[in-house]
Structure formats: structure tokens, C-alpha cells
Amino acid sequence: GLWGMAVGAAAFAFGPAWLALPGVVLLGLACAPVYPMLMSRTPARLGDALSAHAVGFQVSAAMLGGVIFPLLGGLLADWIGLDAVPVMLVATVLALVALNAALERRTA
């Protein structure tokens, strides 16, 4: 899902105009399984004893991200212009890919 998000965000941000809509569609479809997968893998990564607390933190972080990232996108669009939003999406997806790689290394 993360690599699909990266390809979709890059197509939206840097591709030709005709590729923007398919890029957004791919980005959205690739985002869909990420959150449930993280939730379902939590007991395997942390064990049953910590799972309930970890899932609570994950839900809190998701809600906080749901507030902060649209706010950040709006501020960037106001300060720089709408061209900043696709670049912010690419940066966010690349940060997610890096965080996932670090998490995979740590739990392997």
C-alpha cells in the first residue's frame, strides 16, 4: 500500500496533467488498507499485553493527523499556493515509507 501511495502521490505531484486524476485515485486506493493493517499487526509486533494501549495510541495519532495534515496543507496552499499541496503529499508518503522501514527493521 505504501508504494502504491508513493507512485500515486508522485503521479499527482510531478506527472502530466492527464495523470493527476489517476494518481489521486491510486493514492486513495493504496491508502485504504494501511490503517487496518497497522491495527491488525499490532498484537504480533507488541504482544497481547500491550496491544490495547498501543491501539489506543494509534487511534489518537490518526485523529491528530486527521486534524494537523489538512491544516498544514491549507496553510501551505495559502502561503505558497496550491502547487505546495501535492508536494506535501509526496513528502508525507515518503515519511510514511521511511517510518515503516524503520518499524520493520526494529521488529524483524
Side-chain angles (χ1 to χ4, degrees):
L2 291 175
W3 291 113
M5 290 168 59
V7 170
F12 176 55
F14 306 119
W18 62 269
L19 200 55
L21 181 60
V24 171
V25 170
L26 177 60
L27 177 63
L29 289 173
C31 281
V34 172
Y35 184 78
M37 180 62 77
L38 286 174
M39 293 294 183
S40 67
R41 296 284 301 146
T42 298
R45 288 186 170 148
L46 299 177
D48 290 334
L50 298 175
S51 292
H53 296 292
V55 168
F57 283 118
Q58 287 173 329
V59 171
S60 298
M63 295 301 109
L64 189 60
V67 170
I68 290 174
F69 283 99
L71 172 68
L72 180 62
L75 289 173
L76 284 173
D78 189 42
W79 291 335
I80 299 171
L82 285 176
D83 291 336
V85 174
V87 176
M88 184 195 84
L89 284 173
V90 170
T92 302
V93 170
L94 292 177
L96 284 172
V97 169
L99 287 170
N100 184 63
L103 181 62
E104 290 294 325
R105 269 195 312 272
R106 189 168 186 185
T107 58

